[in-house]
Amino acid sequence: MGKELIFQALRHEETKELPWVPFAGVHVGKLKGYTAEEVLRDEDKLVECLIEANKLYTPDGLPVIFDLQVEAEILGCDLMWAENNPPSVKSHPLAAEKTIPCKCKIPTENDGRLPMILSAMRRVKEAIGEDTALYGLICGPFTLASHLRGTDIFMDMVGDSNYVKELVNYCAEVSIAMAKMYIDAGMDVIAVVDPLVSQVSPKHIEKMLSDGFKAVFDYVRSRGAYSAFFVCGNATKQIEVMCKMNPDGVSVDENVNLAEAKKVTDQYNVTIGGNIPLTTTMLHGNQEDNMKGVIDLIDSIDNHKNLIIAPGCDMPYDTPIENTIACAQAVKNPDSTRELIKNYETVIDDSNIEIPDYENLDKVLIELFLLDPEQCAACTYMLASVEDNWDDLKDMAEYRVYKYFIKDDIARTRKMGIANLPTMCINGEQKYISIIPSKDELVASVKEAQAKLKK
């Protein structure tokens, strides 16, 4: 059965076929005509959609809910809801005060949306849990800390590392409480999803984050469940330090070369999952593009032990159902799929995209190339680094936002030669690649670019 394939992969055993996990978070709502908000708030609709996803996509593993704001909402963050995306965090309780929440503020099963989520988990476990490994996704300690503190946390990392470590350790206690409840509700795999880890240097991770993360993974293992560490963005430099935190597996998105990353994870006997491109392939491609994408991914890796095939992150809501079925077909039947698409070539045309004349601008131009500022936490905070400091920038600069789920924006990203998201360009120069600048860094960069324009 599929569940055992996942368990074998996370136990680092040989598998007869590759495991397949579609990260069909809010996308499951599309299967039954419900909005993202409906499936994230309504237990019956969520359960109905998950059962349908299990039937259509024949997964070996399946996340029950993909919402990194559940914990933040309980801890006092205001959320902005959307029809086709998970909610985003719009307020930060610790933005004005550098404190640590009281230890009594640890989520319990009666808080926030947890009664609905835990009940849905139990029902899904009963309905499909015998054959399908169920993933309980929790917000990682660093991203949760950023939800509470806001963009100031990146300045704190330079000016007050002890505070950051203390706040992350508190958030790790929240993660452990969430893991306990999810395991008790029948979740087989606890996935710690922390998009912002890719924005931090390995040195800073080891200094401020590692202890908290290790505590979470150690707890999951002590309960007899499996763990996975999800990160978004260009986490190539962070893969090794992630492995050192002792998860059973890590998952990466399309910013990371999966074959090269697996060379690192294999050194630590950690399973790696990924990383079918979400937008260029799953959202905007056709069935052949998706089958070819999966086969090319599989064929790029020599050793298939310690490997799970999955989308790079949470699938876009409007991902065509037939494209996800095509991915499943390719994972489950690679030989016949390889024969089916052997002469197929993907056609890309970016000719209609015009690049600004950066040498003759009136103002400094800040361009933000993002996956999705409403869904991707790293993208949200990169955008916030500009918007929150706009009063200090607006006389010198203007900014534009490009979103990697819009076809023209994808084409612009390619034409600019941008390989990793999120990336901030200043007057056409890739200035911050998977790194969120502090206010001082950003203002200094804009002033430098302004001085060059005047010349």
Side-chain angles (χ1 to χ4, degrees):
M1 66 179 69
K3 179 166 73 171
E4 185 58 27
L5 266 182
I6 297 293
F7 290 175
Q8 288 172 348
L10 293 174
R11 287 197 301 260
H12 319 299
E13 300 170 358
E14 298 283 354
T15 58
K16 291 183 178 180
E17 58 185 80
L18 282 168
W20 153 242
V21 182
F23 297 137
V26 296
H27 166 77
V28 298
K30 179 182 174 70
L31 306 183
K32 289 292 185 178
Y34 301 134
T35 66
E37 184 173 359
E38 285 179 304
V39 294
L40 294 176
R41 287 182 180 269
D42 188 307
E43 175 186 335
D44 290 338
K45 291 175 180 175
L46 176 59
V47 172
E48 177 188 1
C49 292
L50 287 167
I51 292 172
E52 183 69 10
N54 191 68
K55 180 176 70 175
L56 284 174
Y57 298 152
T58 59
D60 302 307
L62 188 68
V64 171
I65 189 168
F66 206 130
D67 181 350
L68 303 188
Q69 288 63 242
V70 172
E71 298 91 335
E73 183 180 29
I74 292 170
L75 297 177
C77 297
D78 294 324
L79 304 185
M80 178 175 288
W81 288 86
E83 282 196 2
N84 294 342
N85 279 312
S88 56
V89 169
K90 288 301 178 184
S91 71
H92 310 284
L94 302 183
E97 51 177 299
K98 193 189 293 186
T99 60
I100 304 296
C102 173
K103 294 298 178 72
C104 63
K105 289 187 176 179
I106 300 292
T108 70
E109 60 185 17
N110 296 316
D111 291 328
R113 285 179 282 141
L114 283 176
M116 179 278 287
I117 293 170
L118 296 172
S119 180
M121 286 178 169
R122 295 184 186 101
R123 290 172 59 185
V124 173
K125 182 73 173 182
E126 183 176 354
I128 64 174
E130 184 175 339
D131 298 321
T132 305
L134 299 179
Y135 282 61
L137 274 56
I138 62 178
C139 183
F142 182 56
T143 291
L144 181 57
S146 71
H147 285 338
L148 296 175
R149 178 71 173 145
T151 55
D152 284 347
I153 198 167
F154 296 100
M155 297 180 67
D156 295 334
M157 296 188 84
V158 177
D160 194 348
S161 60
N162 288 334
Y163 171 70
V164 174
K165 184 171 183 177
E166 191 176 356
L167 181 58
V168 168
N169 286 345
Y170 161 77
C171 291
E173 292 187 42
V174 173
S175 296
I176 289 171
M178 296 291 292
K180 178 184 185 303
M181 288 184 280
Y182 285 5
I183 293 169
D184 289 345
M187 299 299 98
D188 303 296
V189 182
I190 299 298
V192 179
V193 188
D194 209 304
L196 291 183
V197 164
S198 65
Q199 311 298 301
V200 183
S201 71
K203 180 179 177 181
H204 282 156
I205 291 172
E206 291 185 320
K207 181 178 181 180
M208 288 172 265
L209 311 186
S210 287
D211 288 348
F213 280 87
K214 285 179 181 176
V216 178
F217 295 125
D218 287 348
Y219 173 77
V220 173
R221 186 169 290 108
S222 75
R223 290 293 310 276
Y226 297 98
S227 64
F229 192 169
F230 285 34
V231 66
C232 301
N234 183 16
T236 302
K237 294 180 180 179
Q238 290 80 4
I239 296 295
E240 184 168 14
V241 72
M242 290 168 62
C243 290
K244 290 179 180 179
M245 297 180 201
N246 299 322
D248 296 312
V250 300
S251 285
V252 295
D253 72 15
E254 61 206 78
N255 283 273
V256 175
N257 182 307
L258 194 69
E260 292 301 312
K262 192 173 185 297
K263 294 177 183 177
V264 179
T265 56
D266 280 348
Q267 293 175 21
Y268 292 87
N269 199 27
V270 170
T271 299
I272 193 166
N275 60 351
I276 307 167
L278 293 173
T279 52
T280 54
T281 302
M282 295 196 75
L283 179 62
H284 291 305
N286 55 34
Q287 286 184 296
E288 288 86 354
D289 292 329
N290 280 269
M291 288 187 286
K292 178 176 171 54
V294 170
I295 294 301
D296 287 349
L297 184 64
I298 292 172
D299 290 349
S300 72
I301 298 168
D302 296 329
N303 177 13
H304 290 169
K305 181 184 176 183
N306 281 343
L307 178 63
I308 295 173
I309 301 298
C313 194
D314 190 13
M315 290 162 48
Y317 178 89
D318 282 321
T319 299
I321 295 169
E322 62 271 19
N323 284 358
T324 313
I325 293 173
C327 289
Q329 164 75 14
V331 179
K332 296 298 180 183
N333 302 284
D335 291 339
S336 60
T337 303
R338 196 175 286 108
E339 181 66 21
L340 186 65
I341 52 94
K342 65 180 180 180
N343 295 318
Y344 181 77
E345 295 292 336
T346 300
V347 177
I348 297 174
D349 181 9
D350 299 337
S351 59
N352 64 333
I353 300 299
E354 294 185 5
I355 301 300
D357 181 2
Y358 294 111
E359 294 183 358
N360 296 290
L361 297 171
D362 295 325
K363 276 188 169 185
V364 174
L365 178 58
I366 301 170
E367 294 174 290
L368 297 157
F369 292 85
L370 311 176
L371 286 165
D372 185 343
E374 294 182 356
Q375 185 171 358
C376 164
C379 300
T380 298
Y381 287 109
M382 183 171 277
L383 176 58
S385 72
V386 175
E387 292 183 336
D388 291 352
N389 299 306
W390 191 238
D391 286 344
D392 297 287
L393 300 170
K394 61 185 179 183
D395 292 335
M396 300 181 286
E398 61 181 72
Y399 74 94
R400 299 174 188 170
V401 178
Y402 301 112
K403 304 174 182 179
Y404 205 67
F405 58 85
I406 298 171
K407 281 188 175 181
D408 282 353
D409 290 357
I410 294 170
R412 181 175 299 277
T413 302
R414 282 195 296 256
K415 200 161 187 176
M416 288 286 290
I418 292 170
N420 304 112
L421 299 176
T423 287
M424 183 189 301
C425 293
I426 298 180
N427 285 354
E429 177 188 355
Q430 296 182 38
K431 193 70 176 179
Y432 299 105
I433 302 171
S434 291
I435 292 291
I436 297 171
S438 68
K439 175 182 177 180
D440 292 344
E441 290 172 329
L442 180 57
V443 171
S445 294
V446 171
K447 286 182 176 178
E448 180 184 354
Q450 183 188 43
K452 291 180 180 178
L453 282 180
K454 288 181 178 180
K455 293 179 181 179

